[in-house]
Amino acid sequence: MTNNILVAVFVAFLSVFFVLICLLPKHEGELSPNERRVLVTAPHASVDNILGGGFSEEVDAWLEDHFPARTFFVSVYSYINRLTGRNAVESIILGKNDRLFPAPVEIDEATVADNGSMVSEFILANGLNAYTAIIPSSGYMLKDELPALHLEYRDDEIIDLFEGGCGAHSTPIDVEAFFKAQDDVGSLYYRTDHHLTMRGSYLLYTKIAETLGFTPVSESEFTKTSYDFYGTSYGGSGLYLTKPDALETWLLPQDPAIEVTTIDGSIVTVHSGTIDHACLEDGVVDKYAAYLYSNHGYTSIVNPNVESGVLLVLKDSYGNAIVPFLTSHYHEIIMLDVRYFSSSMELPSETVERLGITDMLVVYGIDSAATLRELAWLR
C-alpha cells in the first residue's frame, strides 16, 4: 500500500512537471536578470547530434535553465548551503554586512609571471613610460568581513609575481597600501559586485594622477547621480534577498563634449559622453556597462577641452570606471582590452607608433593579472 502511494505521488509529480514545462513561457536565449547569463536555447534535434550524444546534453542543460520555479529553487539551495556551512566553498561567499565575495582566484605562478613579462616586453619594445596598478579583490582587502571558514586569498602573491614579471620597465602603484590607508575600505568595493565603487575608482584615480604628475580634479566638481544596482556576484550567488548596491555616475560639465569611439573587429561606433545612459534605465540588468559603453577591444576617448597628451591604457572592466577621470588630463586616451581583440584590428604597437604615444598605464583587477590568456595580442 505504501509503495503504491509513493508511486502515485511520483507519477503525479512528473505529470505536473510535464504540464508546467509545456505550458509555462520559456525565455530561451534571453538574459537572466538574476543570474547575469543567457539562458540556453532549445536542443538541436538532428540525427548526427542525437547519435553523437550532444542532444541529451543539450536537453539536460535546457531542463536546468527552464525548470518550473527555477529561480525559487536556486535561491532556496543557496540559502540552505549558507545555513549548513557550505557557503565557504561556493563560488560566491556571503560575508558580513550582506557582502558577496567572489571566491579566491587560483594561482598558476607561471601564467602570472608570463603575463607580467609580456607587458614588460611590449613596454621595452615601444620605449614607453609605464605604470601598473593591480587592484586586489574585496575578499583580500576585507578579510574581517569574510565568514570564519573561507579559502585563502593570495592577492599579494599574484601582484608580486605580475610586477616581478614586469621588472624595472614599469613603475608599480601600490593599490593595496593606498586603499588600506583610507578610512572606510568597505566603501571602495560594491557589496554585490567585484568592481570598485565610484568612490573607490575616484580615489584610485587620484593616486594614479599624482603618480603621473597631475593634480587630481576635486571631488566637489562632479555631479553625482545614484542608481540601484545588483552586480555579478549577486547574480552568481542565488542569494536573491540581498539588498541592492548604489551605483553612481560622477560627471563633469565637459562630459557631453567628450567623444568615445569603440572598435570591435571592423565595427566602429561613435558616442558622445563617457556614460551610456541607456544602461542606467529601469529594468537593465548590467548597469556597470554604462561606464564607457562596456568592454571593447579598442576604445578612443577624445576630450576637445584638453589640447595635448595621449595615454595608452591596458585595462579590463575595472578601467571603465577609472579612466574617465583621466580624460581631464589628456587630449586622447586609447584603451585596449585584449580579451576582445581580433585579427582585423590594429596591433597595439602600430597604435603607439601612429599616435606617437610615450606613456602607458596598466589597470587590471587581480583576476586578469592571474588568468588573462590574451596578452599575446600585445605586440
Side-chain angles (χ1 to χ4, degrees), residues 173-175 178-189 196-211 216-217 219 222 250 321-322 325:
I173 296 172
D174 193 340
V175 181
F178 177 68
F179 277 3
K180 284 183 175 178
Q182 307 305 313
D183 293 335
D184 183 7
V185 180
S187 69
L188 310 183
Y189 292 86
L196 300 177
T197 62
M198 281 305 282
R199 174 160 181 76
S201 295
Y202 171 77
L203 286 175
L204 182 51
Y205 146 72
T206 65
K207 180 65 174 178
I208 292 170
E210 290 169 355
T211 303
V217 178
E219 182 176 342
F222 293 91
W250 292 28
I322 297 167
F325 291 113

Side-chain angles (χ1 to χ4, degrees), residues 55-71:
F55 180 75
S56 61
E57 294 178 0
E58 292 176 7
V59 169
D60 289 343
W62 186 87
L63 288 173
E64 287 179 7
D65 272 11
H66 302 284
F67 191 91
R70 181 179 186 278
T71 298

Side-chain angles (χ1 to χ4, degrees), residues 310 351-359:
V310 183
T351 301
V352 169
E353 182 177 4
R354 175 172 58 86
L355 296 175
I357 297 174
T358 59
D359 295 328

Side-chain angles (χ1 to χ4, degrees), residues 6 30 73 112 121 123 155 202 224 259 310-311 332 371:
L6 290 175
E30 296 181 13
F73 287 113
V112 181
E121 291 170 6
I123 294 168
D155 296 28
Y202 171 77
K224 303 176 185 179
E259 182 178 275
V310 183
L311 176 67
E332 184 172 10
T371 64

Side-chain angles (χ1 to χ4, degrees), residues 241-259:
L241 299 179
T242 306
K243 61 184 179 181
D245 271 307
L247 178 142
E248 297 179 324
T249 58
W250 292 28
L251 297 177
L252 294 171
Q254 67 184 11
D255 193 78
I258 294 175
E259 182 178 275

